[in-house]
Amino acid sequence: MDSRRLPYIDGVAAALVDGTGRVVGWTAAAEQLLALDAAQVTGRPARELLADGEADADALGKRAGEVRLRSGDGPPVEVSYQVLPLAGEHGEVRALVLATSAAAVARRRQDEAFTRELFLQDRLGLAVFDSDLRLLRTNTHLLPYTGLPEDLAGHRLRDFLQPGDAEAAEAILRHVIDTGEPLVRAELPIRTLDDPGPGVVMEVQAFRLQAPDGSLIGVTALFGDVTELHRYRQRADVLHRATAAVGASLSVVGTAEDLAGVLVPGLGRRAEVDIAEAVFTGDEPLPGADGALAVRRTATAGPPGPDDRPLGPIGRAELGRPAAATADPPTMSAPLNTRGGPLGRITVHRPPAEGPYAREDLEVLREIAARAALAVDNARRYTREHRAAVGLQRSLLPPAETVVPAATTASVYRPTDTATGVGGDWFDVIPLSSARVALVAGDVVGHGLQASATMGRLRTAVRTLADLDLEPDELLVHLDDLVSQLVVEGSEEERERGVADPSGATCVYAVYDPVSGICQAASAGHPPPALVHPDGRVEYLPVNPGPPLGVGGLPFETVECVPPAGSVLALYTDGLIEGVNRDLDEGMAQLAVRLGETGLGGDLAAAGRAIVAEMSTAGQGDDVTLLLARLHPVPPEATAAWSIDADPAAVAGVREAATRQLEEWGLGELVFTTELVLSELVTNAIRYAGGPVQVRLIRSSVLTCEVSDPSATQPRMRRARLTDEGGRGLYLVAQLTERWGSRYTRSGKTIWAEQPIEAPAVP
């Protein structure tokens, strides 16, 4: 007998014994079990195989039992045996003795007991599928699930589960069969055809079944109901994501959108976030005269719903009513409350098929609402402070677009995106005497209200110094002294509070004279201005940047150039050219390319916005300022100049020449005033300064009269007494002109006066 023909009792030894008790047949399995070949055993009494003849003699009379047998190469082997009597054709008596290791029998009995008890468990599901995923055995009839057939044998999952759930389960079981890789702790939703509600969540583990010869039997799946654990994990995950996401933005709208994104699909299929209107302006939500609050549907998530419409005023009590849930349809809502009162409300919905919300769901929503309310209130407070800072910053800056005789300017200012708010960047366009213009750009290190306030002080100082008509390098020296004093005056308390230190400030100051066509510039630690030629070529002025303001003790240098007519001068702050992924040189090179490509011959404001939009980086850490100035030279025919000696008789000749020039310009109505102004200024220059005296008229948006002399003594206007014979000249000039003043020059001083030129009437 060949044991290999018994696949389910592999390893069973067999011996054939005749009627006299002698062994007449011996199998290969017997040889392997006892290490005795057939020649050593056949023909000998079976009694000789007993390890202890006396003790094991009674085994010869039993049909089954356990006995110890001798082995050929070691200690006795304990086996379990069974005797099968055989009847021969001629009446001879024989017996077939089957034996296997007692340990193997014990293991087989354990396996049988384990399998039997496993199928009797009522807390652990067990299912055995064949290779076609048809059920062979299962204990699901012991589990409290509805919609299952009484006898599951021969069924497939699709016969009693929802199609989607059945496909997902069969897909993972098929993967186990095909690859042999066991499945560990996969969670699957399970809903029956008879009960398509929320269903349950099963944790499934599966492994492939193979016969001893390696042939495929099927797959076994173990599953358990983890619905409550799954829901607990979902709620905890939603709360964790809400804590991490809500509050990351200091925008009211951004906070509401983050909140809606967490609620869907975490707690429902649709979410609505309603915020009081006052929150968007940073104000406290206060009820109106009718006790209602104006609210805005700020964010939604999920498919459109019937409530996708602007909300009107709703009662304060309704907005702040406690969290509640309804079953039909399944809905939950909770207020966004702070100590100051209600800020809004959040609502979530889900389809009726998913069942009503549980008490635990409402608790999670209430906790999320409490945390979201703090985030919304923080965003409201930031909005209020940011608006105040931006308002202060805007009020301290000039108009975005200006037109002066020497230039047409357009500017772009973009506050930083960081939570610290606006910073200390500024620009200015300052009209100077004789049709000149000063262009300024500066930057105070830091952000917030203090940086804006420091910027305002520096801008005021620049305007005051510019009114003195100083050279650019001289102006920066005075400004540097002022900043040094501000640093000394700053208290230790201010430094501890983070007040912006004015020593961390830079400035570039440029003056353009449209009559001579000369542009002068000096820098205190600031990037150099860019000059865009009419043909699109871009160059940076060769300014040697001095130290930042407040360092003191080091000089500043002025550079001069003569830009062609129609050129554009660009002043900017480092926020435009520096970024996270680029250094200063790369930023300047990129700015030069953008200035050349944008085409500054048209709308300067549109070009500036386009350049800032392309140059600014996401999440910029500094303000961005760009000032573009198209330079307009005064044509030679719009100026007239004369040089006279220090002779009082020359005053009459000046008056005559000026009269002829004004009539040629069509400004005959200004002849009388101009003659009087020139008479007084030239006479004073000849009397007190000597010669030579230079006289110049400039026609632009105003008529400017200039008288230059070699004296460095500034004139002083005073009111003459009745007995005085002089002293009324400058007083008359001040009364007859729009404004007047004097400035130092390299060879003396210049006194100037401006008269308005009325625009011609439009027919």
Side-chain angles (χ1 to χ4, degrees):
M1 180 176 293
D2 190 349
S3 63
R4 289 175 297 178
R5 296 182 181 178
L6 303 172
Y8 295 101
I9 52 174
D10 187 31
V12 175
L16 186 62
V17 180
D18 61 12
T20 64
R22 295 180 178 277
V23 178
V24 295
W26 195 251
T27 64
E31 293 179 353
Q32 184 178 3
L33 177 63
L34 299 180
L36 297 172
D37 56 26
Q40 295 175 287
V41 178
T42 54
R44 301 177 62 183
R47 181 185 299 273
E48 295 180 3
L49 293 175
L50 300 177
D52 187 347
E54 295 298 330
D56 297 328
D58 59 341
L60 298 177
K62 297 180 180 179
R63 293 290 183 93
E66 293 184 356
V67 69
R68 293 187 309 135
L69 301 180
R70 300 177 185 274
S71 64
D73 59 356
V77 177
E78 187 172 352
V79 300
S80 295
Y81 68 92
Q82 185 174 4
V83 179
L84 302 178
L86 301 176
E89 181 179 356
H90 303 291
E92 64 271 19
V93 177
R94 292 187 177 186
L96 178 64
V97 181
L98 304 178
T100 189
S101 170
V105 172
R107 284 195 300 271
R108 184 175 296 114
R109 289 173 180 170
Q110 293 168 2
D111 292 345
E112 291 175 354
F114 173 77
T115 303
R116 181 174 61 257
E117 292 300 324
L118 191 61
F119 276 96
L120 293 176
Q121 294 298 312
D122 59 356
R123 299 181 62 87
L124 178 67
L126 179 66
V128 179
F129 299 83
D130 63 14
S131 58
D132 293 328
L133 296 182
R134 295 185 180 277
L135 279 163
L136 299 176
R137 295 182 64 185
T138 181
N139 67 340
T140 52
H141 61 282
L142 299 177
L143 301 177
Y145 303 134
T146 61
L148 298 181
E150 293 185 4
D151 186 5
L152 294 177
H155 286 278
R156 302 189 63 168
L157 296 179
R158 67 186 64 172
D159 296 337
F160 50 86
L161 296 185
Q162 291 286 329
D165 298 346
E167 291 176 4
E170 289 189 349
I172 63 173
L173 295 177
R174 176 58 61 187
H175 179 77
V176 173
I177 291 177
D178 294 341
T179 64
E181 299 175 359
L183 177 68
V184 180
R185 305 188 67 152
E187 292 187 358
L188 294 174
I190 300 298
R191 295 166 298 169
T192 62
L193 294 174
D194 293 349
D195 186 9
V200 296
V201 177
M202 291 291 184
E203 184 180 81
V204 180
Q205 305 185 73
F207 52 89
R208 188 167 65 181
L209 295 179
Q210 291 178 279
D213 61 356
S215 60
L216 178 65
I217 295 177
V219 61
T220 295
L222 293 90
F223 52 91
D225 189 342
V226 293
T227 304
E228 290 303 320
L229 178 61
H230 178 76
R231 290 175 180 172
Y232 171 80
R233 290 174 179 170
Q234 279 187 322
R235 297 183 188 109
D237 179 64
V238 171
L239 185 58
H240 173 73
R241 289 191 292 114
T243 303
V246 178
S249 171
L250 286 175
S251 163
V252 176
V253 175
T255 301
E257 291 176 346
D258 292 341
L259 176 59
V262 170
L263 297 176
V264 175
L267 288 179
R269 294 295 177 265
R270 175 170 174 77
E272 296 139 6
V273 182
D274 304 322
I275 305 293
E277 284 283 0
V279 174
F280 295 92
T281 57
D283 300 324
E284 293 278 357
L286 298 176
D290 57 353
L293 283 173
V295 298
R296 181 191 307 178
R297 178 133 296 165
T298 309
T300 60
D307 292 333
D308 267 351
R309 62 182 183 274
L311 298 182
I314 63 175
R316 183 183 178 92
E318 180 182 356
L319 191 65
R321 69 181 185 272
T326 60
D328 189 18
T331 302
M332 290 191 302
S333 63
L336 300 174
N337 283 338
T338 60
R339 287 177 295 179
L343 301 177
R345 195 166 188 85
I346 55 177
T347 307
V348 292
H349 314 266
R350 69 184 182 190
E354 297 185 13
Y357 284 105
R359 178 179 57 83
E360 293 80 5
D361 297 324
L362 186 60
E363 290 295 330
V364 171
L365 184 66
R366 184 182 292 112
E367 181 64 25
I368 292 176
R371 302 183 185 187
L374 293 177
V376 171
D377 192 50
N378 287 339
R380 179 190 66 82
R381 294 173 183 270
Y382 169 75
T383 300
R384 180 180 60 193
E385 296 178 3
H386 188 265
R387 289 184 64 207
V390 170
L392 174 62
Q393 181 86 334
R394 297 293 187 188
S395 67
L396 295 175
L397 294 177
E401 300 180 39
T402 59
V403 178
V404 294
T408 299
T409 69
S411 60
V412 180
Y413 170 71
R414 177 174 293 180
T416 178
D417 289 339
T418 63
T420 49
V422 297
D425 287 18
W426 92 89
F427 63 91
D428 211 344
V429 179
I430 308 172
L432 302 178
S433 61
S434 304
R436 297 173 305 139
V437 64
L439 304 172
V440 190
D443 185 5
V444 175
V445 175
H447 299 89
L449 289 174
Q450 295 297 338
S452 296
T454 302
M455 176 272 290
R457 300 171 74 180
L458 296 184
R459 178 173 176 254
T460 302
V462 171
R463 274 193 163 264
T464 303
L465 295 171
D467 195 50
L468 300 177
D469 278 318
L470 301 175
E471 296 285 332
D473 56 339
E474 291 184 62
L475 183 141
L476 290 181
V477 169
H478 287 287
L479 187 63
D480 183 64
D481 292 339
L482 173 64
V483 172
S484 298
Q485 295 177 16
L486 294 177
V487 173
V488 173
E489 293 171 0
S491 65
E492 187 66 29
E493 180 184 355
E494 289 178 333
R495 295 188 182 94
E496 291 178 357
R497 288 190 289 110
V499 175
D501 187 352
S503 64
T506 63
C507 179
V508 62
Y509 183 82
V511 176
Y512 175 64
D513 186 348
V515 178
S516 64
I518 296 176
C519 179
Q520 297 178 310
S523 170
H526 203 85
L531 181 63
V532 184
H533 292 256
D535 59 0
R537 183 169 57 90
V538 180
E539 63 175 326
Y540 287 98
L541 299 187
V543 176
N544 184 17
L549 298 173
V551 175
L554 296 175
F556 301 96
E557 297 182 14
T558 297
V559 65
E560 291 186 358
C561 66
V562 182
S567 299
V568 174
L569 194 64
L571 282 70
Y572 51 91
T573 54
D574 55 3
L576 181 65
I577 56 177
E578 285 187 312
V580 178
N581 298 319
R582 68 178 179 219
D583 57 21
L584 190 65
D585 293 336
E586 293 176 351
M588 292 180 64
Q590 185 178 351
L591 176 60
V593 172
R594 295 304 309 136
L595 288 171
E597 294 177 350
T598 303
L600 301 180
D603 186 352
L604 281 183
R609 289 191 295 269
I611 292 174
V612 170
E614 293 190 19
M615 293 285 294
S616 300
T617 58
Q620 64 189 48
D622 199 1
D623 294 2
V624 172
T625 301
L626 175 63
L627 173 63
L628 300 176
R630 182 177 291 114
L631 306 179
H632 306 309
V634 174
E637 61 271 15
T639 63
W642 304 275
S643 178
I644 61 175
D645 296 327
D647 184 1
V651 177
V654 171
R655 288 199 301 266
E656 293 175 0
T659 299
R660 289 193 300 270
Q661 186 63 61
L662 292 178
E663 290 177 348
E664 181 181 338
W665 285 342
L667 301 177
E669 70 278 3
L670 300 181
V671 169
F672 176 77
T673 305
T674 304
E675 286 183 347
L676 184 57
V677 169
L678 289 178
S679 295
E680 293 294 338
L681 296 181
V682 173
T683 300
N684 286 342
I686 294 174
R687 178 179 299 175
Y688 300 110
V693 176
Q694 304 292 330
V695 179
R696 185 169 66 168
L697 297 180
I698 304 173
R699 186 193 67 185
S700 58
S701 60
V702 296
L703 176 65
T704 304
C705 302
E706 290 184 352
V707 176
S708 303
D709 61 57
S711 173
T713 302
Q714 288 281 5
R716 182 170 60 89
M717 184 177 65
R718 63 185 178 88
R719 186 180 296 274
R721 292 173 295 182
L722 294 176
T723 57
D724 291 340
E725 296 182 0
R728 298 178 178 85
L730 288 180
Y731 181 78
L732 291 176
V733 170
Q735 297 300 313
L736 295 174
T737 60
E738 188 174 61
R739 65 176 190 144
W740 75 280
S742 64
R743 66 177 182 270
Y744 289 108
T745 64
R746 296 176 182 178
S747 59
K749 69 175 181 297
T750 296
I751 304 176
W752 53 270
E754 294 179 354
Q755 302 176 66
I757 297 177
E758 295 183 3
V762 178

